[in-house]
Amino acid sequence: MTGQARRIIVAGAGIAGLTAALAFAARGCFVEIYERAPRLEEAGAGLQLSPNATRILASLGVIDALSPLAVRPEAVVLRDARTLREVTRVPLGGGAERRWGAPYLVAHRADLQGALLARLRSNDNIKLATGAVVSGFASRPDGVTVAVERGGTTEEISGELLVGADGVWSSIRELTGANGKSRFAGDVAWRSTLRAESPAGRAFQSIARSDVVTAFMHRSVHLIAYPVRGGSAVNLVALAKGQAFAKIRPEAADPDGLAAALRGTAPGIARLAQEAGPWTLWPLHTVAPAAQWTAAGRVVLIGDAAHAMTPFAAQGAAMAIEDAATLAAFVAAAPADMGGALARYEAIRRPRIAQVSKRGALNRFTWHASGPVALARNLVLAVLPGAKLAADLDWLYGWTVPEAES
């Protein structure tokens, strides 16, 4: 680091915060990350990384570390959960990489976090502190002073920008007084990861292939399954209406509750629900994207802290990664105009987030259709060629970080 390097402070060491640190450091900034957890542990479950995200991760040198543990699925396959019949598929694999210039990957969240950390630890311009809580900030004309509590003491850290990347229950969002409270979306997610060679893994392979992303569609629930951990495990998530409960940590799921949600699906799916446990239950919370993203000209929210969305478009991680790269580009391009850079960043990102959220809502409606609507859905999807379904995703997967005005 030189004496003139710009100093960026990041709250949160999840996917958004770690990606932001790498993106800012790549543009010559010095970055300090403060994470409230005492240690970074393996947590979460699987995630899908579409080309709009992997393109950025590749530019930051992360894909090389992630690739041995990730899987490149051959397709996204939609199946009727009652009959297990394939309705349609979107081709991925090599064709996706040729079409969108980057791979479509599925991975365990902990493996992505590990790859980000490996890249971060090789960069002397990034410092990470755990067990550290950002408890306040004061904006100045030339920067921001951040209060950080750790080890029973409070210290003040100065920088040019505070990035709130601390998730759906963001404390930075609360500190700004933003009107964006997280709210329960009305859906819950049952999650489990099973070994591919276990009895449950073999039960799964009897109803679907393990080298694709499969969505089993049903009127009251849909089940998503795809390989992780280099193909040695399968990630399962069932999404349905449910009740809100305590935030922060998932609860152990009652298998009877999942069995009830899956009532009416094929026997193979119901059997899988019994054999695949243990399951954890997560409430889905969102943050209205219209809420405030910036404060005092020196504080900005990214990822779930700004606009947590439901997972029906499989774009939560991708939007956090896009946010991080776009923010770094716009801030780096305007060294003397932080307020203007944040305004331009927000103007670019809001329409994109709104469009992705609408796609998620459409997916949920499509996957949970019933009766004549489901029949019409199946008929329409069955006649659409895979190339047409892929082309309909060009706006999403072909996205690149916009050029920032200097």
Side-chain angles (χ1 to χ4, degrees):
M1 184 188 77
T2 69
Q4 299 301 312
R6 305 176 74 182
R7 186 179 297 266
I8 307 297
I9 300 169
V10 177
I15 292 171
L18 296 176
T19 305
L22 291 172
F24 274 107
R27 295 180 180 276
C29 299
F30 181 76
V31 185
E32 295 178 78
I33 310 172
Y34 296 99
E35 165 59 45
R36 70 167 52 244
R39 63 187 63 84
L40 297 181
E41 301 175 330
E42 289 197 0
L47 48 79
Q48 300 182 55
L49 296 169
S50 47
N52 47 310
T54 59
R55 182 179 297 109
I56 294 169
L57 295 175
S59 73
L60 297 175
V62 176
I63 290 296
D64 287 345
L66 178 62
S67 288
L69 297 171
V71 177
R72 301 189 181 202
E74 291 301 315
V76 172
V77 177
L78 304 186
R79 291 183 179 274
D80 187 311
R82 294 181 303 107
T83 64
L84 300 181
R85 184 176 64 85
E86 180 176 319
V87 176
T88 192
R89 64 173 50 211
V90 180
L92 296 176
E97 190 160 359
R98 290 188 294 273
R99 183 181 190 97
W100 295 302
Y104 193 111
L105 301 179
V106 288
H108 196 282
R109 182 176 295 271
D111 293 337
L112 174 57
Q113 179 177 286
L116 290 165
L117 283 169
R119 186 63 177 164
L120 180 149
R121 286 166 177 152
S122 68
N123 193 316
D124 292 337
N125 274 13
I126 306 175
K127 303 299 180 185
L128 169 63
T130 57
V133 179
V134 174
S135 58
F137 69 86
S139 180
R140 311 184 312 272
D142 62 341
V144 61
T145 300
V146 174
V148 177
E149 296 180 1
R150 54 179 168 174
T153 63
T154 300
E155 59 182 307
E156 292 187 343
I157 310 295
S158 293
E160 289 195 33
L161 177 68
L162 170 60
V163 180
D166 52 343
V168 64
W169 293 291
S170 169
S171 61
I172 304 303
R173 186 175 63 239
E174 292 183 6
L175 289 173
T176 66
N179 58 352
K181 301 294 184 181
S182 64
R183 65 178 182 84
F184 177 57
D187 292 291
V188 295
W190 282 271
R191 299 184 184 274
S192 183
T193 303
L194 54 89
R195 291 184 298 108
E197 296 306 315
S198 68
R202 290 191 290 273
F204 169 74
Q205 292 171 32
S206 71
I207 63 173
R209 287 177 51 177
S210 57
D211 62 347
V212 300
V213 177
T214 303
F216 298 93
M217 304 179 294
H218 189 262
R219 63 181 182 274
S220 60
V221 64
H222 76 272
L223 175 69
I224 304 293
Y226 51 83
V228 293
R229 296 275 155 101
S232 66
V234 177
N235 178 79
L236 300 173
V237 55
L239 299 113
K241 290 293 184 183
Q243 300 297 316
F245 52 88
K247 66 179 183 180
I248 302 301
R249 292 193 179 278
E251 292 184 350
D254 178 0
D256 290 340
L258 178 57
L262 293 172
R263 188 173 294 121
T265 63
I269 293 178
R271 183 171 66 252
L272 183 66
Q274 292 297 321
E275 296 182 358
W279 294 82
T280 55
L281 187 62
W282 298 70
L284 302 183
H285 282 71
T286 61
V287 176
Q292 181 179 337
W293 290 5
T294 61
R298 295 286 174 173
V299 182
V300 61
L301 304 174
I302 66 172
D304 283 354
H307 47 66
M309 60 181 65
T310 56
F312 301 112
Q315 286 292 304
M319 291 303 102
I321 291 166
E322 286 188 11
D323 282 356
T326 306
L327 177 65
F330 278 62
V331 169
D337 184 17
M338 182 65 76
L342 297 186
R344 288 188 287 275
Y345 158 79
E346 196 168 345
I348 286 289
R349 293 302 297 159
R350 282 193 180 276
R352 172 76 170 170
I353 296 299
Q355 189 176 17
V356 172
S357 295
K358 288 179 181 178
R359 179 59 185 239
L362 175 62
N363 285 353
R364 190 191 188 288
F365 172 79
T366 300
W367 294 341
H368 289 244
S370 62
V373 176
L375 178 61
R377 172 201 67 196
N378 291 355
L379 291 173
V380 170
L381 290 176
V383 300
L384 288 176
K388 175 62 168 64
L389 294 172
D392 287 343
L393 294 167
D394 285 347
W395 68 272
L396 181 57
Y397 297 164
W399 182 95
T400 59
V401 177
E403 291 293 328
E405 299 178 2
S406 57

